[in-house]
Amino acid sequence: MANRFIDKLEAFGPLSAQAVAALAKATSRPRKMPAKHDLIREGDRPGPVFVMLEGWAYRYKVLPSGTRQVLAYLMPGDCCDLHIGLLAEMDHSIQTITPSLVAMVGRPEMDTLLDEHRGIAKAMYTAQLVDEGIMRAWITSMGRRASIERVAHLMCELYLRARNIGLADGETFALPLSQLLLADSLGMTPVHLNRVLKELRVAGAMTLARGSLIIADPGKLIQIAGFDANYLHRRLRQAA
Amino acid sequence: MANRFIDKLEAFGPLSAQAVAALAKATSRPRKMPAKHDLIREGDRPGPVFVMLEGWAYRYKVLPSGTRQVLAYLMPGDCCDLHIGLLAEMDHSIQTITPSLVAMVGRPEMDTLLDEHRGIAKAMYTAQLVDEGIMRAWITSMGRRASIERVAHLMCELYLRARNIGLADGETFALPLSQLLLADSLGMTPVHLNRVLKELRVAGAMTLARGSLIIADPGKLIQIAGFDANYLHRRLRQAA
DNA sequence: CGGAATGTTGAGCGTCCTCAAGTTGGGTGG
DNA sequence: CCACCCAACTTGAGGACGCTCAACATTCCG
C-alpha cells in the first residue's frame, strides 16, 4: 500500500490511516515514463501535480543561447509544486532522467487531500519548504563557492537525500547523473567538471563512475564542501 | 484600510470585503524597524510570518569564510514563507535594507486567514510560486549568464517588480541597494560589479547612482539581459 | 565637520572557458 | 556473440573573464 511518496511524507510527521489510504488512492495509477522524457515544458499550461514514485527527474530551463541550467533534482518520493495549477504557464521544464513511475494528481484531488487531512497538508508544506531551502543552498553555491566546493556540496546533498529515502546505506549509492547534467547543474562546463571530479578522486574524497558515487572519505568531502546539513531540515519542529 | 500587502494580494485575485478586513486586522500593528536590522537569523526558531508593509529587506546566508550570498529581495507588500513555522530552525537570515514597517502575523492567525478565506490562500500560494520562480531565475542567472547579463537581468526584474507595486512609473525608480549588496546577490566582487555598471552606463543602457536606477534604453537592457518576464507570472490563470 | 561607508580605478593573476582530439563504455542489430 | 555506433568521458593547450590587492575619491550621516 505504501509507496515512496507516502514514506517521504510520513518522515515529516505522522499520518492517519485514512490519510495514507487517501494518498495511496491518489497515486494508485502511475504511468511508466521512459528516460529523458519531458513531463512538462516551459510555457505549458500546468496540469496535474507530478509525483515521482520511482526514478529520477530534474527541473531545468533552456536559455535562448541553447545552454541549459538544471534547477533541481526530483528523487523517488519527490513531487512538484502543490499549487502549480494556480499559474498560467510553467516557467521551467521537468524531464525524467531514468525510466520512471510517475503518478499524476489532479488539482481538485490535490485540494481535497490538503483540505481533508491536516497531516498531509503539513507534510507537503514542509516538503516544499525543504525544497526551497535546497534552492537557496544552490544559489549560495553558485554565487559563493569555487567549483570544487560546489561539486562536493552537491554530492553531499544528493547523498544525504538518497540516504534519507533509503537509496543509500553505505558510502556507495547509485547516482544516475551524467557529467553533462551535473555540469549544467553547477554552472560549469563538462570539461571542467571532469577535471574537478578527477581532483576529488585523486584527493581520495570520492569517486563517481558508472552511475555510482563512492564516498571514499566523508569527512574530507564535507570539509571541502563546507557542508552543513541544516538546510535539509531533518530535525523538524516538535508538536504543532 | 488597505496596505501594500493587501494591494499585492488583490493583484493576484479578487478578495472579499471580509478577507480584506481580516488581512487589515492581521497587519494592523506593524513595527518600525531601522535599516540593517536582522528580523531573524539563520539557526533561529521561526516565529511569526514577516510582512513588509514599507521598506526593503533581503534574505541572505553567510558562509564560514565570511562571504555573504543574497538569496532574495523583499519589497513592500512581500512576505516570507507562510508555513515557515513548520521548520525547527531558519536556514537563512532576513535583514532590513531601509527603515521599514514590518507586520508580524502569528502562526495561528495565519492559519486562520488561510483556512477561512479561500481567496487569501490562493493569492498567497500564488505569491509563493512567483517567489520560487524568481529563485529559479536567479539560479539560472548565476549558472549560465555572464556578469553583465546577470546585472542587466536583475535590474529588469527589480524594475518590473517595483512597477507592479507602483514604486516606479517612468524609467526611473528608487533602488536602495548598495553595490556591495548587489555584488553579493550576483556572485560577483564589488569591484567587478562596479566595472560592469560602468559598462552598462557607457553603453547607454542604464545608470545606477545615488539610490536611483535610470533605465536609459529599456530595449537595450532587455536585450543584454536576455530577459523574459514570464517567470514573474503577471498573467495568471483565469477562473479557478 | 569629521569619520565611516560606499564607490572608483589600476595592475597583475588565477580559475574556468573554449576548442580540439581522442578514448571508453553501453546498447543494438546483424 | 561480435561488430559497430553513439553517447559519455578524458586530456591537452591557450585564452578570457572575473578575482585580488591596493590606493584613492566621494557621499552620507551623525
Side-chain angles (χ1 to χ4, degrees):
Chain A
M1 187 105 160
N3 59 41
R4 291 201 180 275
F5 181 51
I6 297 174
D7 291 346
K8 176 183 171 180
L9 293 183
E10 283 192 307
F12 285 133
L15 297 179
S16 67
Q18 297 97 306
V20 170
L23 284 169
K25 177 148 177 291
T27 55
S28 61
R29 300 231 186 306
R31 286 180 56 184
K32 264 192 183 145
M33 295 292 188
K36 302 196 182 187
H37 178 264
D38 275 328
L39 298 177
I40 192 165
R41 289 200 183 84
E42 178 165 1
D44 285 355
R45 193 166 205 262
V49 169
F50 296 106
V51 180
M52 300 299 298
L53 295 182
E54 298 294 341
W56 289 51
Y58 69 109
R59 299 175 191 265
Y60 68 100
K61 267 183 193 266
V62 175
L63 298 193
S65 63
T67 61
R68 174 179 63 170
Q69 176 63 47
V70 173
L71 303 163
Y73 288 108
L74 302 180
M75 295 173 38
D78 290 341
C79 70
C80 70
D81 307 76
L82 308 181
H83 299 293
I84 194 80
L86 289 170
L87 299 177
E89 59 176 68
M90 290 294 289
D91 58 33
H92 65 282
S93 309
I94 305 179
Q95 183 173 95
T96 58
I97 294 168
T98 63
S100 302
L101 218 51
V102 183
M104 293 168 185
V105 183
R107 191 159 154 211
E109 192 167 13
M110 183 56 73
D111 286 346
T112 307
L113 283 175
L114 295 174
D115 283 349
E116 300 189 349
H117 304 277
R118 187 127 292 250
I120 292 178
K122 276 177 61 175
M124 286 198 177
Y125 289 137
T126 306
Q128 186 137 352
L129 286 170
V130 173
D131 287 347
E132 280 181 35
I134 291 173
M135 280 199 271
R136 287 189 284 261
W138 280 38
I139 292 174
T140 306
S141 266
M142 309 269 284
R144 288 293 179 233
R145 274 190 257 261
S147 62
I148 193 170
E149 299 167 351
R150 284 211 293 283
V151 174
H153 199 276
L154 180 59
M155 294 303 124
C156 287
E157 174 186 312
L158 291 175
Y159 171 74
L160 275 191
R161 285 177 60 191
R163 212 182 52 172
N164 287 344
I165 61 173
L167 285 187
D169 34 5
E171 270 83 45
T172 301
F173 77 106
L175 191 66
L177 309 180
S178 69
Q179 292 186 8
L180 185 58
L181 205 54
L182 287 171
D184 282 346
S185 310
L186 296 164
M188 303 164 55
T189 57
V191 171
H192 192 58
L193 175 74
N194 182 278
R195 292 192 231 267
V196 170
L197 287 176
K198 183 177 181 181
E199 201 177 334
L200 285 167
R201 190 180 339 119
V202 169
M206 51 160 270
T207 301
L208 180 61
R210 281 183 230 146
S212 283
L213 178 66
I214 303 165
I215 302 183
D217 186 339
K220 184 172 277 180
L221 192 64
I222 288 168
Q223 180 231 319
I224 292 173
F227 189 79
D228 178 344
N230 70 330
Y231 72 97
L232 293 174
H233 296 286
R234 292 296 290 170
R235 282 195 1 228
L236 299 172
R237 176 172 284 204
Q238 305 305 316
Chain B
M1 185 107 160
N3 59 42
R4 291 201 180 275
F5 181 50
I6 297 174
D7 292 346
K8 175 183 171 180
L9 293 183
E10 284 192 306
F12 286 132
L15 297 179
S16 67
Q18 298 96 308
V20 170
L23 284 169
K25 179 151 176 288
T27 56
S28 60
R29 300 230 184 308
R31 287 180 56 184
K32 265 194 181 143
M33 296 292 187
K36 303 198 181 187
H37 178 264
D38 275 326
L39 297 177
I40 192 165
R41 289 199 182 85
E42 178 164 0
D44 285 355
R45 193 167 205 263
V49 169
F50 297 107
V51 180
M52 299 299 297
L53 295 181
E54 298 293 341
W56 289 51
Y58 69 110
R59 301 175 190 264
Y60 69 100
K61 268 184 192 263
V62 174
L63 298 191
S65 63
T67 62
R68 173 178 64 169
Q69 176 63 46
V70 173
L71 303 164
Y73 288 108
L74 302 180
M75 296 174 34
D78 290 341
C79 69
C80 69
D81 307 74
L82 308 180
H83 299 293
I84 193 81
L86 289 171
L87 299 177
E89 60 177 65
M90 290 293 289
D91 59 33
H92 63 284
S93 308
I94 304 178
Q95 183 173 96
T96 57
I97 295 168
T98 62
S100 303
L101 219 52
V102 183
M104 293 168 185
V105 183
R107 188 155 157 215
E109 192 167 14
M110 182 57 72
D111 286 346
T112 306
L113 284 175
L114 295 174
D115 284 347
E116 298 188 349
H117 304 278
R118 187 126 290 249
I120 292 179
K122 276 178 60 175
M124 286 196 175
Y125 289 138
T126 306
Q128 185 136 350
L129 286 170
V130 172
D131 287 348
E132 281 180 34
I134 291 173
M135 281 199 269
R136 286 188 285 262
W138 281 38
I139 291 174
T140 306
S141 266
M142 310 269 284
R144 288 293 178 232
R145 273 190 258 261
S147 62
I148 193 171
E149 299 167 349
R150 284 212 291 284
V151 174
H153 199 275
L154 180 59
M155 294 303 124
C156 287
E157 174 186 312
L158 292 174
Y159 171 74
L160 274 191
R161 286 177 60 193
R163 209 180 55 170
N164 286 344
I165 61 173
L167 285 187
D169 36 4
E171 270 81 46
T172 301
F173 76 107
L175 191 67
L177 309 180
S178 69
Q179 292 186 7
L180 185 57
L181 204 54
L182 287 171
D184 283 344
S185 311
L186 295 164
M188 302 164 55
T189 57
V191 171
H192 191 59
L193 175 74
N194 182 279
R195 292 194 231 266
V196 169
L197 287 176
K198 182 177 181 180
E199 201 177 337
L200 286 167
R201 191 180 338 118
V202 169
M206 51 159 271
T207 301
L208 179 60
R210 279 183 229 148
S212 283
L213 178 67
I214 303 165
I215 301 183
D217 186 339
K220 184 173 278 180
L221 192 63
I222 287 168
Q223 181 231 315
I224 292 172
F227 189 79
D228 178 344
N230 69 330
Y231 73 97
L232 294 174
H233 297 286
R234 291 296 291 170
R235 281 195 3 227
L236 299 172
R237 177 172 284 205
Q238 305 306 317

